[in-house]
Amino acid sequence: MSRSALDHQSPIGVFDSGLGGLTVAAAIRKILPAERIVYLGDTARVPYGPRSTETIQAFALQNAAFLRKFNIKLLVVACNTVSAVALEQLRAVMPEIAVTGVILPGVRAACETCPEKAVVIGTKGTVRSGVYVRELHKLIPELQVRAIPCPLFVPFVEEGILEGPAVREMIHLYLAELHADPPDILIPGCTHYPLLKNALYDYLPKQTKIIDCAKASAEHVAALLTEQNLHAPENAKGSLECYVTDSPPGFESQAEKFLGYPPDKVEKVTL
Ligand code: DGL
């Protein structure tokens, strides 16, 4: 299908390894309420962060192939780990639509605050890729930046454990060094991490601001739709449909925690 044949009534496809990408879907819903969003959470295979680049790329291609069946007009990779290593492969197999990740919008939002010192937190895969440090330095070459992997954050968030002594202890395990050398900003380079925002703010040095990468990603999606003249009609009733590769008990209430409201539909699928 050619780009010109794309229909503005088509849905936006969004995927993540699990529930985390719902933070991005929620931000898109907020600024683009007329859009239909089809979300895939690969809950059977979460987490992606500790896996090899080849495995993450293979999973990403399968997820995109599933969403493509909905005739999506735009693909949002709501996963930093996949955005770090598989965007080019996805673009190559889906040349008819725009494929966007969540890293560059977050980097741009971070740089708009004119930081001198930044810390990026992410999965092992994202940190290993070095992409945040590279992209931040392209915009602010003199920026002092550290990237810290926080592999336990994702399982805690998937379990819905977002505060309390165990969460504080976990944050302390990875981020104690920030008290000795406080950054101006913390970039949550994983779409699960905004759910730990309150716990992170409780722990972080007072002067450290957390960047809202989900909002920045949603604004980028809106700009892409404008550029391609693909916005849904203003009076359309938007929706959020969730597809998951495994549906553990309590999925809906977990999803509600991420979104602040229940999804319109939850269905278990096989890729
Ligand atoms: N939420 C994803 C990310 O942004 C992936 C987390 C994981 O599966 O390890 O990186």
Side-chain angles (χ1 to χ4, degrees):
M1 189 174 43
S2 71
R3 268 174 195 256
S4 58
L6 288 172
D7 186 347
H8 59 287
Q9 311 223 30
S10 294
I12 297 172
V14 181
F15 80 79
D16 180 36
S17 58
L19 287 155
L22 288 174
T23 55
V24 178
I28 298 173
R29 283 284 287 143
K30 198 163 171 193
I31 64 168
L32 297 169
E35 298 294 337
R36 177 181 165 214
I37 299 170
V38 179
Y39 180 89
L40 173 66
D42 191 7
T43 46
R45 301 189 292 196
V46 68
Y48 283 8
R51 297 178 191 272
S52 70
T53 299
E54 296 71 34
T55 300
I56 297 164
Q57 288 170 341
F59 288 176
L61 290 171
Q62 286 171 356
N63 296 341
F66 172 81
L67 289 172
R68 203 179 195 183
K69 294 183 199 148
F70 291 85
N71 189 30
I72 53 174
K73 60 185 173 186
L74 176 68
L75 177 65
V76 183
V77 178
C79 174
N80 287 265
T81 312
V82 174
S83 300
V85 300
L87 275 191
E88 288 322 308
Q89 279 91 341
L90 291 169
R91 289 189 175 125
V93 295
M94 307 180 88
E96 74 281 7
I97 59 168
V99 176
T100 178
V102 283
I103 294 177
L104 290 185
V107 163
R108 284 188 214 112
C111 290
E112 275 165 19
T113 68
C114 304
E116 286 175 12
K117 241 183 234 179
V119 165
V120 183
I121 53 175
T123 65
K124 283 183 180 169
T126 301
V127 170
R128 188 179 57 224
S129 76
V131 62
Y132 269 98
V133 176
R134 254 192 329 273
E135 294 299 333
L136 285 162
H137 276 153
K138 277 187 199 161
L139 297 184
I140 307 183
E142 65 282 8
L143 183 70
Q144 292 178 44
V145 52
R146 276 169 291 166
I148 304 175
C150 301
L152 285 176
F153 283 15
V154 169
F156 266 70
V157 170
E158 288 282 325
E159 281 298 319
I161 306 169
L162 307 178
E163 56 198 357
V167 172
R168 199 178 162 83
E169 194 53 40
M170 170 180 73
I171 294 174
H172 179 69
L173 178 72
Y174 296 124
L175 302 183
E177 63 183 88
L178 303 198
H179 283 279
D181 186 12
D184 310 315
I185 57 166
L186 179 82
I187 305 172
C190 172
T191 52
H192 282 71
Y193 297 178
L195 270 289
L196 295 171
K197 190 169 145 192
N198 292 341
L200 283 165
Y201 264 130
D202 275 351
Y203 180 83
L204 289 172
K206 284 281 161 291
Q207 66 266 49
T208 305
K209 183 177 179 294
I210 301 176
I211 301 300
D212 189 343
C213 297
K215 181 166 170 264
S217 299
E219 285 166 357
H220 182 60
V221 167
L224 283 173
L225 291 182
T226 303
E227 205 176 273
Q228 303 194 355
N229 199 17
L230 279 174
H231 280 282
E234 259 174 47
N235 56 358
K237 190 178 167 306
S239 61
L240 173 59
E241 294 156 37
C242 289
Y243 296 89
V244 287
T245 51
D246 192 14
S247 187
F251 172 83
E252 299 212 33
S253 61
Q254 291 290 72
E256 201 171 332
K257 257 190 214 163
F258 276 67
L259 294 165
Y261 47 84
D264 294 290
K265 170 180 182 172
V266 178
E267 191 180 316
K268 182 174 175 302
V269 293
T270 306
L271 298 182

